[in-house]
Amino acid sequence: MQVGWEDTAMERQRLIVGITGASGMPIAAGVLRHLKKTDYETHLVMTRSAEITIRQETDMTPEDFRNLADIAYDNDDIGAAIASGSFKTAGMLVVPCSMKTLAGINSGFSEDLLLRAADVTLKERRKLVLCARECPLSSVHLRNMYELSMMGAVILPPMLGYYSRPSSVEACTEQIIGKLLDVFDIDI
């Protein structure tokens, strides 16, 4: 029996993108724009605080962000596909990741879809990348980051590198986006 192309086509890898209310919305928008150009299927979940911060930091709306993703979920929909370990993904990226969300993930406090998806990502031993956004960091923040890194999460704060001699804020943002996506072997 000959196998047709349709039978051998590979499914797109799924990547969950969580957005919280921490500062850094241009980074989140850039991640979604770059992922749109890849073979990844993006599954977006945003907190209510993220929607407020989007309006404060960009000329975009939360709906614009949703339109950059393949599938967007309501954060209250705890029964959504991304809340289950049987929903196979390449992992999850939380960008930006507030300290509240980071603490919730660390403690297993899965009160909403974003926290539950991160919890599932950890329990299934999939890649969880947290673009932790706060400055300065308290001992509580550092402890939570340390404990999550011991669980397998990648803590990747948006720290600037000057070795490329960035000429603009946009160039700095692109460098951070590149580092975040590099964890998933996505080149930009």
Side-chain angles (χ1 to χ4, degrees), residues 53-69:
T53 308
I54 285 168
R55 289 183 182 98
Q56 291 173 339
E57 292 188 351
T58 72
D59 293 328
M60 299 173 72
T61 66
E63 192 59 32
D64 294 332
F65 274 66
R66 287 183 195 93
N67 289 335
L68 288 171

Side-chain angles (χ1 to χ4, degrees), residues 109-157:
F109 184 64
S110 300
E111 75 167 343
D112 59 31
L113 183 58
L114 192 149
L115 289 169
R116 173 64 184 157
D119 187 40
V120 166
T121 301
L122 277 177
K123 83 175 182 70
E124 296 294 330
R125 305 283 194 259
R126 297 177 185 145
K127 289 181 183 177
L128 177 62
V129 179
L130 305 175
C131 185
R133 178 61 192 88
E134 188 58 82
C135 185
L137 296 167
S138 75
S139 297
V140 172
H141 302 150
L142 293 167
R143 183 190 66 228
N144 285 333
M145 286 184 212
Y146 171 75
E147 289 175 1
L148 281 165
S149 74
M150 296 305 291
M151 292 179 219
V154 175
I155 310 299
L156 204 157

